[in-house]
């Protein structure tokens, strides 16, 4: 299978190459794609070297599938051109997520929506992906009424510039800034741009994408998204109100049975998910599972995943795997 990775030189694009190799996706020919300034650079994949080409050159090479992680503007410009050429696009930007004509897919949650007609498929926001993987089995069992989510998000979600800012500050050096404030020894309750309602775009993504992926607009979601000085993964505190009551052991069993989910929940031996343990892993980790004693039918839990893996690259590759399994690419 001919596979293009658009944005192959970026943080997520590099991770996509790692995941394609690690999961033994059947790549017969890799087409690394980036902007004009990266054209001709060499990318190594499974011991072979491939030269970076531009998006227009990649279309002419007719890949079977293109994994996009080059930002919304690139996706808006080039994803339709790839699709018109018969190439299936899996896009990691926010460009197509809320387009009613495009599917927004987390394979463990709503992979059944994919069809042969889908030529541009949207990969959800990283913080939404890990949350809905954990919510799905609980919604099926108890029916979710409302979710209150607070996130603790890694600097890797912003990109290389943010990682460099954190490490420069830690080393006491001046350098290029990704954030308006110091991130080392600080938290910034501001991810993406502020909207008229006082929420940030990141918070609204979590709200709107959850309803679309879960195929249930009755689920009420409110979010506060926060950047913290860590690398390795995003963490989330979830407070979930259900229509029906639950047993905590049944909750743990439902989560443990969910594909792509690992329960790490043993407070007696100080076992709970942390970003350093999720780093480089494809699963979503859930712990601190306990009843909210302030109101009925309500659960608290803590959810962690590597935002560059399951939150971006792995989910995109899993969508490609599902398309291949269904004979759609």
């Amino acid at each position: 299978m001919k596979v293009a990775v658009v944005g192959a030189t970026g943080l997520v694009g590099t991770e996509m190459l790692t995941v394609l190799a690690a999961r033994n996706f059947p790549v017969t020919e890799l087409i690394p794609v980036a902007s004009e300034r990266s054209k001709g650079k060499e990318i190594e994949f499974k011991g072979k070297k491939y030269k970076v080409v531009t998006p227009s050159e990649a279309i002419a090479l007719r890949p079977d599938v293109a994994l996009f992680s080059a930002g919304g503007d690139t996706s808006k410009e080039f994803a339709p051109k790839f699709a018109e050429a018969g190439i299936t696009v899996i896009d990691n930007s926010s460009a197509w997520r809320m387009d009613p004509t495009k599917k927004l897919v987390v394979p463990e949650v709503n992979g059944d929506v994919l069809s042969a007609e889908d030529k541009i498929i949207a990969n959800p926001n990283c913080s939404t992906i890990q949350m809905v993987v954990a919510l799905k089995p609980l919604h099926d069992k108890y029916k979710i009424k409302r979710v209150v989510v607070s996130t603790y998000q890694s600097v890797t979600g912003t990109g290389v510039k943010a990682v460099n800012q954190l490490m420069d500050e830690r080393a006491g050096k001046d350098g290029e800034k990704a954030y308006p404030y110091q991130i080392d020894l600080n938290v910034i309750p501001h991810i993406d741009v502020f909207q008229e309602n006082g929420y940030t775009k990141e918070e609204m993504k979590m709200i709107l994408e959850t309803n679309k992926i879960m195929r249930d607009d009755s689920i009420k979601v409110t979010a506060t998204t926060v950047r913290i000085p860590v690398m390795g993964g995003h963490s989330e505190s979830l407070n979930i109100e259900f229509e029906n009551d639950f047993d905590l052991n049944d909750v743990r069993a439902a989560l443990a049975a969910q594909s792509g989910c690992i329960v790490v929940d043993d407070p007696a031996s100080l076992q709970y998910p942390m970003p350093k343990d999720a780093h480089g892993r494809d699963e979503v980790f859930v712990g601190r599972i306990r009843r909210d004693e302030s109101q009925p039918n309500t659960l608290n839990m803590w959810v962690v995943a590597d935002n560059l893996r399951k939150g971006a690259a792995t989910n995109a590759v899993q969508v490609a795997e599902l398309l291949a399994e269904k004979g759609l690419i």
Side-chain angles (χ1 to χ4, degrees):
M1 194 176 294
K2 286 170 80 169
V3 178
V5 175
V6 182
T9 57
L11 260 186
V12 175
T14 303
E15 201 66 37
M16 281 175 173
L17 296 171
T18 301
V19 173
L20 285 165
R23 294 177 73 89
N24 287 314
F25 191 79
V27 180
T28 52
E29 185 184 338
L30 178 74
I31 304 168
V33 187
S35 62
E36 192 72 46
R37 69 177 178 273
S38 294
K39 182 181 171 177
K41 271 189 185 174
E42 285 196 332
I43 295 274
E44 191 168 319
F45 178 74
K46 285 194 160 183
K48 284 180 71 177
K49 289 198 161 74
Y50 297 87
K51 284 202 167 155
V52 171
V53 299
T54 65
S56 299
E57 290 169 331
I59 293 168
L61 293 169
R62 291 290 190 274
D64 299 290
V65 64
L67 308 179
F68 268 64
S69 189
D73 291 341
T74 300
S75 293
K76 282 177 185 167
E77 182 182 355
F78 286 104
K81 294 177 181 176
F82 275 73
E84 281 161 24
I87 302 157
T88 301
V89 171
I90 302 165
D91 180 51
N92 194 53
S93 80
S94 60
W96 307 101
R97 289 175 185 157
M98 295 314 298
D99 184 325
T101 68
K102 305 291 184 285
K103 308 285 174 59
L104 183 65
V105 178
V106 178
E108 301 94 329
V109 179
N110 66 336
D112 58 298
V113 299
L114 292 169
S115 70
E117 287 72 51
D118 298 317
K119 284 299 173 194
I120 299 176
I121 300 157
N123 211 35
N125 182 45
C126 47
S127 43
T128 307
I129 289 174
Q130 67 187 70
M131 181 169 77
V132 296
V133 168
L135 291 181
K136 172 70 164 68
L138 304 182
H139 185 52
D140 289 349
K141 202 167 172 66
Y142 307 112
K143 190 155 177 53
I144 295 170
K145 287 173 68 176
R146 182 171 185 255
V147 179
V148 181
V149 55
S150 299
T151 73
Y152 306 72
Q153 294 181 225
S154 162
V155 292
T156 56
T158 308
V160 173
K161 197 201 289 191
V163 173
N164 291 342
Q165 178 180 340
L166 173 61
M167 300 319 288
D168 284 345
E169 288 171 354
R170 196 148 285 191
K173 295 192 317 197
D174 279 333
E176 198 178 14
K177 307 285 186 200
Y179 304 119
Y181 300 103
Q182 174 184 321
I183 185 62
D184 189 33
L185 299 175
N186 193 23
V187 299
I188 303 173
H190 166 199
I191 299 177
D192 214 323
V193 295
F194 281 99
Q195 310 290 285
E196 281 186 15
N197 62 359
Y199 285 75
T200 65
K201 195 174 174 186
E202 180 86 354
E203 289 158 355
M204 292 310 299
K205 284 178 196 171
M206 292 194 76
I207 293 163
L208 299 170
E209 290 177 22
T210 298
N211 291 141
K212 184 171 178 177
I213 297 162
M214 302 284 282
R215 291 173 279 189
D216 191 339
D217 288 340
S218 74
I219 301 171
K220 305 298 180 193
V221 182
T222 188
T224 302
T225 58
V226 181
R227 190 71 67 191
I228 66 170
V230 302
M231 292 188 283
H234 291 349
S235 305
E236 298 172 350
S237 169
L238 300 184
N239 179 267
I240 311 154
E241 182 185 357
F242 299 105
E243 279 193 10
N244 304 301
D245 201 8
F246 54 85
D247 174 84
L248 284 174
N249 288 328
D250 290 344
V251 166
R252 292 186 185 95
L255 288 165
Q258 164 71 343
S259 176
C261 195
I262 294 177
V263 175
V264 183
D265 187 47
D266 184 5
S269 58
L270 309 185
Q271 297 297 305
Y272 32 72
M274 292 181 287
K276 74 176 188 64
D277 300 321
H279 181 59
R281 300 285 298 272
D282 291 332
E283 303 88 356
V284 172
F285 298 84
V286 186
R288 297 298 321 279
I289 299 164
R290 63 209 188 276
R291 190 175 287 277
D292 178 348
E293 296 183 347
S294 70
Q295 67 170 14
N297 302 353
T298 305
L299 182 79
N300 287 310
M301 64 185 194
W302 177 252
V303 178
V304 179
D306 185 325
N307 54 293
L308 295 183
R309 298 282 291 219
K310 182 54 182 168
T314 300
N315 198 75
V317 173
Q318 286 175 316
V319 171
E321 288 171 344
L322 190 54
L323 290 168
E325 188 185 305
K326 291 182 166 202
L328 302 175
I329 53 172

